[in-house]
Amino acid sequence: MENNGNKQFFLNEALREAQNGMRNNLGGPFGAVVVKDGKIIGRGCNRVTSDNDPTAHAEIVAIREACRNAGTFDLGGAEIYSTCEPCPMCLSAIYWSNIRSVIYSATRHDAENIGFRDNMIYEEINEEPAQRMIPFQQINDPEMHQLFEEWKKKIDKIPY
């Protein structure tokens, strides 16, 4: 589907994804579309409960489809339209995929008001690992450093 720059049009497409997913009991009330050059290249609704996959957020689903359709892991130049401010996991995927901009409607606080933990996770990220609700423990293993050095020197690696 093509549209030349009407942000509301693409946000409405994300809303339709959310409505269809929620009304068909695929997951929560979230939808997203990835747009490049005025065309939707990826669509997604939240599929956490239907796929039994806590990573199957609308943005992740849409990014995965966009990457498959584009034949690359690099979505540089694309935009993502989401019904809600992306959670930290989705935000990370947006950065990793090089999406250039995010357009969203509801906020993480709106999501919190209907029972979602996005805001709590944003707050947890700011805590030192030892102070987080889920305990973190670092074990410094020299072999890991060797592995990282091997990657650093690898000639045929594909950087990302």
Side-chain angles (χ1 to χ4, degrees), residues 121-142:
I121 297 170
Y122 269 106
E123 291 172 358
E124 277 284 288
I125 288 170
N126 291 323
E127 295 290 336
E128 289 298 318
Q131 304 305 313
R132 292 181 181 149
M133 285 186 250
I134 297 174
F136 279 63
Q137 178 184 9
Q138 181 186 14
I139 298 174
N140 193 356
D141 185 337

Side-chain angles (χ1 to χ4, degrees), residues 6-68:
N6 183 337
K7 292 181 193 286
Q8 189 62 53
F9 172 84
F10 293 122
L11 204 51
N12 287 345
E13 288 297 306
L15 176 64
R16 277 193 267 293
E17 290 295 319
Q19 289 170 331
N20 289 335
M22 184 187 72
R23 291 172 182 166
N24 288 299
N25 295 318
L26 298 176
F30 306 102
V33 295
V34 176
V35 176
K36 188 162 185 182
D37 300 325
K39 296 179 184 171
I40 295 174
I41 61 170
R43 295 174 171 274
C45 66
N46 182 288
R47 301 183 60 88
V48 169
T49 57
S50 61
D51 288 0
N52 292 319
D53 180 354
T55 69
H57 289 199
E59 296 89 344
I60 301 291
V61 172
I63 288 169
R64 288 175 180 162
E65 182 177 280
C67 288
R68 277 192 304 274

Side-chain angles (χ1 to χ4, degrees), residues 1-11 13-14 31-44 58-59 62-67 74-83 86 90 93-95 97-104:
M1 187 167 292
E2 185 172 352
N3 184 288
N4 296 319
N6 183 337
K7 292 181 193 286
Q8 189 62 53
F9 172 84
F10 293 122
L11 204 51
E13 288 297 306
V33 295
V34 176
V35 176
K36 188 162 185 182
D37 300 325
K39 296 179 184 171
I40 295 174
I41 61 170
R43 295 174 171 274
E59 296 89 344
I63 288 169
R64 288 175 180 162
E65 182 177 280
C67 288
D74 187 343
L75 298 175
E79 301 174 313
I80 190 163
Y81 292 78
S82 178
T83 54
C90 295
I94 289 164
Y95 275 100
S97 63
N98 294 317
I99 288 175
R100 70 179 165 130
S101 65
V102 179
I103 298 90
Y104 66 95

